[in-house]
Amino acid sequence: MSNPQKLSDRSSIQKEIERALAAEPVVDMHTHLYPPAFGTPDPNKSGNVDPRGLLLWGGDELLTYHYLTAETLRSARIPYEQFWAMSKTDQANLVWKTLFVDNTPTSEAAQGIISVLDVFGLDTRAPDLKEARAFFNSQRLGEHFDQVFDIAKVSGVVMTNDPFDDTEDQLWSRSITIDRRFSSSLRLDSLINRSLVNAAHVAISTVTQVRAFLDNWIQRRNPVYMALSLPPDFNFPGEDARDHLLREVILPTAKEHRLALTLMVGVRRKVNPQLRDAGDALGKANVTAIERLCLEYPDINFLVTFLSRENQHELCVAARKFSNLMPFGCWWFLNNPSIVSEITRERFELLGQSFIPQHSDARVLEQLIYKWKHARRQIADALLHSYQQLLDRGRAITPEEISRDVNRLFSGNFNEWVRQD
Ligand code: RAT
Ligand code: ZN
């Protein structure tokens, strides 16, 4: 590159970052979204998965997101069972009234709703959901779907696929064409959970049977990685059914199929079961377990995220020691601007650009809009901070370098990690 243009002041760096970020599509490496071919559920059915479909979208789904039901039940203080007995429409009405009318929507999840309404030109101070419902009801799913991906500038999403879920399997078999933007991932929580609850399951289904089942699933569904969420007390090596499954089934399968393994560590499930999907919490976990996995399995690429803020610095240090360890995302309770800002800066300082700054974890289509809008803001600010420091120390950044860095963060690192030819 001869005589590259150097950016020698803050405002031109900032402009260039905004340009690069606006131009760069992101690959969203962990979501709970499904393609339109998987159908949409019955809008009147609340609670468990509806066999008619899995793709959630629109105002009522957005408002009944589990991040928001937890907040609503703190303020509204109605009995849990009363809330769950309500229709989805009534639940959404209560969430709106509680968090957006009777209170000021300062939480990140509530501000997400504001960002979505605002993008579509809807009244963010409306007294009820009439206008928002009319808007979403008037949308044709196919066009709306593309519009959401365009606004969010998302070029690809990875689904979370449970190989033991019959509904999902049926929808998959019925779906002729899966939208090309969707990739699958093989989520193994239910394999582990079945085995922990019923240790006999591991014995009855021999290792060979389970491996054959997974091999078959992988051949049919072509996942980009295998994945598992883990509690704070996860240890490796361990002496339980989980350790057995990891060593005998999951790690050898990842190795054989040259699949990356995604580990999401630190979730305490069902701390308050009455809150249903919103009832999980977190705990500080043990990063040395991940170090040992990376050491023992150098041929496997690990994508790792921790749920506790207290684990973030240790995770960065572990990643400095193991080139087969890729930290990713600011997961769930960490996905708040103040914490995303802190973690992203820390990662730039310890890892350069060798990490994946965020995933959306979207469950409802339009969440892609706000989750990526908010993430892009924090990533832009953290980049500006880093480049300004570089400038102060005597090196100006160029537009080409900014584009290169943003490309790596938004898709390059992930693509490189999951492509193991
Ligand atoms: O963030 C969430 O939506 C959580 O409920 C979980 O789904 C978590 O992301 C997970 O994948 O286990
Ligand atoms: Zn998730």
Side-chain angles (χ1 to χ4, degrees):
M1 212 190 310
S2 62
N3 196 17
Q5 180 204 349
K6 298 195 204 81
L7 305 168
S8 48
D9 65 275
R10 189 178 175 88
S11 91
S12 42
I13 298 173
Q14 188 166 12
K15 260 193 223 125
E16 215 34 59
I17 293 173
E18 300 296 338
R19 184 207 52 78
L21 278 173
E24 190 65 37
V26 68
V27 173
D28 193 341
M29 59 145 300
H30 170 65
T31 76
H32 300 265
L33 295 176
Y34 299 92
F38 275 37
T40 53
D42 180 343
N44 297 316
K45 193 169 186 300
S46 64
N48 296 332
V49 169
D50 182 330
R52 280 173 34 177
L54 292 181
L55 169 59
L56 307 183
W57 69 285
D60 289 352
E61 297 292 358
L62 286 167
L63 281 153
T64 52
Y65 185 33
H66 68 82
Y67 292 27
L68 289 169
T69 54
E71 292 171 26
T72 301
L73 287 164
R74 273 189 69 70
S75 290
R77 300 187 70 90
I78 64 166
Y80 298 113
E81 281 322 311
Q82 190 182 328
F83 182 77
W84 299 122
M86 289 159 72
S87 67
K88 185 157 280 175
T89 312
D90 288 342
Q91 289 176 356
N93 287 340
L94 181 68
V95 173
W96 181 259
K97 181 176 177 322
T98 308
L99 300 182
F100 297 82
V101 179
D102 296 346
N103 290 288
T104 307
T106 56
S107 77
E108 170 62 10
Q111 294 208 21
I113 297 285
I114 299 299
S115 287
V116 173
L117 295 178
D118 188 55
V119 156
F120 292 117
L122 299 166
D123 182 2
T124 56
R125 301 188 55 89
D128 55 39
L129 291 171
K130 276 198 199 97
E131 184 198 35
R133 279 203 183 100
F135 168 78
F136 286 111
N137 287 340
S138 71
Q139 299 303 303
R140 300 236 306 252
L141 180 57
E143 287 158 25
H144 180 66
F145 191 85
D146 289 342
Q147 192 189 12
V148 169
F149 271 71
D150 283 353
I151 296 171
K153 219 164 169 54
V154 170
S155 56
V157 299
V158 181
M159 307 177 256
T160 298
N161 303 105
D162 178 357
F164 300 100
D165 186 319
D166 293 338
T167 305
E168 204 180 303
D169 214 47
Q170 280 163 26
L171 290 169
W172 213 313
S173 316
R174 287 210 301 257
S175 310
I176 306 164
T177 32
I178 308 269
D179 189 291
R180 63 183 166 72
R181 289 165 289 200
F182 281 73
S183 307
S184 65
S185 72
L186 172 52
R187 180 74 176 244
L188 293 168
D189 288 32
S190 56
L191 172 69
I192 298 274
N193 294 340
R194 286 169 185 222
S195 308
L196 294 183
V197 172
N198 175 14
H201 174 84
V202 191
I204 296 163
S205 326
T206 64
V207 162
T208 321
Q209 283 170 327
V210 180
R211 285 203 57 185
F213 173 81
L214 295 181
D215 287 347
N216 181 277
W217 196 94
I218 290 167
Q219 263 141 27
R220 283 182 302 142
R221 309 294 186 222
N222 197 20
V224 283
Y225 59 70
M226 298 165 71
L228 195 56
S229 77
L230 293 159
D233 65 0
F234 167 64
N235 216 346
F236 187 85
E239 282 169 4
D240 49 10
R242 183 192 297 119
D243 189 79
H244 177 66
L245 279 168
L246 265 172
R247 280 181 192 284
E248 303 299 328
V249 176
I250 298 173
L251 291 157
T253 303
K255 204 166 160 175
E256 186 187 317
H257 290 272
R258 301 176 69 74
L259 283 171
L261 182 58
T262 294
L263 299 173
M264 307 175 73
V265 193
V267 53
R268 287 191 298 128
R269 300 278 180 198
K270 307 263 170 287
V271 168
N272 182 353
Q274 290 172 300
L275 275 172
R276 301 197 180 174
D277 280 355
D280 301 346
L282 64 83
K284 185 176 185 304
N286 183 3
V287 177
T288 59
I290 300 297
E291 290 173 348
R292 286 192 214 106
L293 270 169
C294 292
L295 187 63
E296 215 175 296
Y297 294 88
D299 305 339
I300 297 181
N301 279 351
F302 292 92
L303 287 150
V304 177
T305 199
F306 278 82
L307 195 48
S308 168
R309 180 184 175 205
E310 280 62 40
N311 283 129
Q312 302 307 318
H313 183 243
E314 281 173 88
L315 174 61
C316 287
V317 175
R320 291 172 66 92
K321 308 298 144 193
F322 296 98
S323 60
N324 58 333
L325 171 55
M326 177 74 79
F328 78 91
C330 299
W331 181 24
W332 202 344
F333 309 112
L334 297 171
N335 192 1
N336 305 302
S338 63
I339 301 182
V340 174
S341 167
E342 168 188 299
I343 294 175
T344 309
R345 287 176 189 214
E346 186 172 59
R347 287 173 176 171
F348 278 134
E349 287 166 357
L350 280 156
L351 299 171
Q353 297 86 50
S354 64
F355 66 96
I356 297 167
Q358 192 54 302
H359 64 275
S360 76
D361 235 311
R363 285 176 180 267
V364 183
L365 177 64
E366 297 84 355
Q367 287 171 346
L368 289 175
I369 294 174
Y370 92 78
K371 299 226 186 202
W372 283 111
K373 180 180 181 205
H374 299 192
R376 280 171 196 265
R377 181 70 273 129
Q378 294 312 320
I379 295 165
D381 290 350
L383 276 171
L384 178 61
H385 180 74
S386 297
Y387 296 150
Q388 174 73 60
Q389 275 183 342
L390 259 181
L391 186 62
D392 294 346
R393 287 155 191 180
R395 179 177 162 140
I397 194 87
T398 70
E400 290 75 19
E401 287 167 340
I402 296 178
S403 296
R404 178 196 60 195
D405 292 352
V406 171
N407 175 269
R408 219 181 140 185
L409 296 166
F410 276 27
S411 61
N413 287 336
F414 177 67
N415 288 337
E416 192 191 316
W417 217 246
V418 297
R419 199 188 315 113
Q420 298 183 51
D421 311 319

